[in-house]
Amino acid sequence: YNAPDPDLRLDDVAQVEVVRGPQGALYGSGSLGGVVQIVSRQPDPSAWTAEATVGTSATAGGDPSSLVGAVVNAPFGSGRGAVRLVGYREAAGGWLDSPALGRNANSTVREGLRVLAKGELASGWSLSGGGVAQSIASADAQYVSPPGSRTRPGRLAEPHDNDFGAGHLTLTGDLGWAGLTLTTAVIEHHLSSRYDASEAPPVPIGPGPAAFDDDNRVGAWVSEATLAGGAPGGVGWIAGAFAATTRQEVSLDLVRPTAPGAPLWSERRRDRLQELALFGEVTTPLGQDLALTLGGRLSVSHNDTDSRISVPGAPVSAFRDETSRNRFA
């Protein structure tokens, strides 16, 4: 979706898988450059385990930094399942001087919690699910002036918050002739930033401190069903269906921090995207070191946008439109 990377801390990760693009037949038009999959370590039903991490560091001319983290693996159901918990708190001390604020400006704190559970339901069937929550809070931006210095200019602090949450549920089973996977996930992502607009506000407002506030909320629901089969060393195939709904709400405000009141300029925008797709792929070996793959993806998408810009004393500027697309890759 159209939002920055949530910058999740990669604690307790088993592996990172990369497939070069384009991969549109299986993963859609967003995979033109390829696909990256980060795989967490899975719950282990065989034993209780625990790990802890503690770290600290110092930066010349800056504040100290610290890290604490823990991982706990707990079996349940007489070895038929397990749950895995990961938690961490990372504090990065600031090292840019802000004469206007009288302190180091760019300190950041990242805190997160992840849970993953998996259990066996019956012969050949399993259910797994989990969630992740993380918050990042930066006291100020990283910009400096002049380039190469360690001085942070500006009359106002430019804090940034990045809060991410996601939950997922997956059912897998063996149908005999194929393996079935059903998965669904929800995402909530909230980003907010303040920028110092004193020198170049988007509309004329006269001299004095001004702040531009950017509040961005993204929510998504994604589901997929896949069937996969084939003989080991022989022809393999996969077929499935995909559905997703994404919404994005953006609030932009130009304000006077020293004089709270109605914004001097504001925009409220909502975007909604709905997607459906059917896909499939067949791979056949051509000797020991060569294989031929043929795949296709038929997708339908609908996007609608609503935007309203307000300036005191002027009519509201409104925009609304929608579009639909059919694609085959």
Side-chain angles (χ1 to χ4, degrees):
Y1 52 88
N2 184 27
D5 185 347
D7 196 18
L8 297 174
R9 182 174 171 84
L10 303 186
D11 279 6
D12 201 44
V13 167
Q15 62 198 52
V16 178
E17 301 174 350
V18 179
V19 183
R20 294 182 181 273
Q23 294 291 330
L26 282 186
Y27 300 103
S29 60
S31 60
L32 181 63
V35 178
V36 177
Q37 176 168 255
I38 300 169
V39 183
S40 303
R41 289 167 64 189
Q42 298 299 295
D44 181 3
S46 65
W48 280 81
T49 60
E51 304 172 19
T53 301
V54 178
T56 186
S57 63
T59 303
D63 297 323
S65 301
S66 62
L67 168 66
V68 293
V71 179
V72 176
N73 184 89
F76 62 82
S78 300
R80 294 183 60 86
V83 60
R84 196 171 187 90
L85 296 170
V86 181
Y88 52 86
R89 184 182 190 275
E90 179 184 27
W95 48 272
L96 296 179
D97 299 325
S98 175
L101 301 178
R103 58 174 171 80
N104 283 322
N106 60 326
S107 61
T108 299
V109 175
R110 176 165 56 173
E111 298 175 310
L113 179 67
R114 189 171 78 240
V115 59
L116 183 61
K118 186 174 183 179
E120 300 298 325
L121 300 179
S123 177
W125 290 84
S126 66
L127 181 67
S128 64
V132 58
Q134 181 181 271
S135 67
I136 301 175
S138 297
D140 206 342
Q142 302 275 10
Y143 305 112
V144 295
S145 182
S149 73
R150 290 174 51 179
T151 300
R152 177 81 178 94
R155 315 182 198 182
L156 304 174
E158 298 183 319
H160 171 75
D161 285 324
N162 184 340
D163 300 324
F164 180 84
H168 58 90
L169 190 66
T170 300
L171 175 68
T172 60
D174 186 359
L175 301 177
W177 56 276
L180 172 68
T181 301
L182 303 174
T183 182
T184 188
V186 292
I187 294 171
E188 289 291 335
H189 196 181
H190 180 204
L191 303 111
S192 61
S193 301
R194 166 164 284 192
Y195 303 98
D196 186 349
S198 305
E199 300 299 327
V203 294
I205 60 172
F212 189 77
D213 293 332
D214 182 343
D215 190 86
N216 190 346
R217 295 178 181 270
V218 180
W221 166 82
V222 182
S223 288
E224 188 174 271
T226 60
L227 288 167
V235 176
W237 60 270
I238 184 171
F242 168 88
T245 297
T246 304
R247 75 178 192 283
Q248 185 168 15
E249 298 173 355
V250 178
S251 298
L252 305 174
D253 293 302
L254 178 66
V255 299
R256 291 281 195 194
T258 56
L264 305 173
W265 178 96
S266 66
E267 179 181 5
R268 300 293 181 267
R269 173 169 173 161
R270 177 196 52 76
D271 292 87
R272 183 174 54 191
L273 175 64
Q274 296 173 304
E275 299 173 280
L276 294 172
L278 299 174
F279 57 89
E281 187 173 275
V282 177
T283 300
T284 181
L286 302 176
Q288 183 176 357
D289 301 317
L290 191 64
L292 176 67
T293 298
L294 178 65
R297 184 184 187 94
L298 177 64
S299 61
V300 179
S301 65
H302 179 80
N303 179 262
D304 65 86
T305 298
D306 186 286
S307 173
R308 297 176 181 272
I309 296 177
S310 303
V311 178
V316 174
S317 176
F319 171 85
R320 192 182 191 286
D321 204 353
E322 58 184 315
T323 182
S324 297
R325 284 186 175 183
N326 301 326
R327 294 189 182 96
F328 181 76

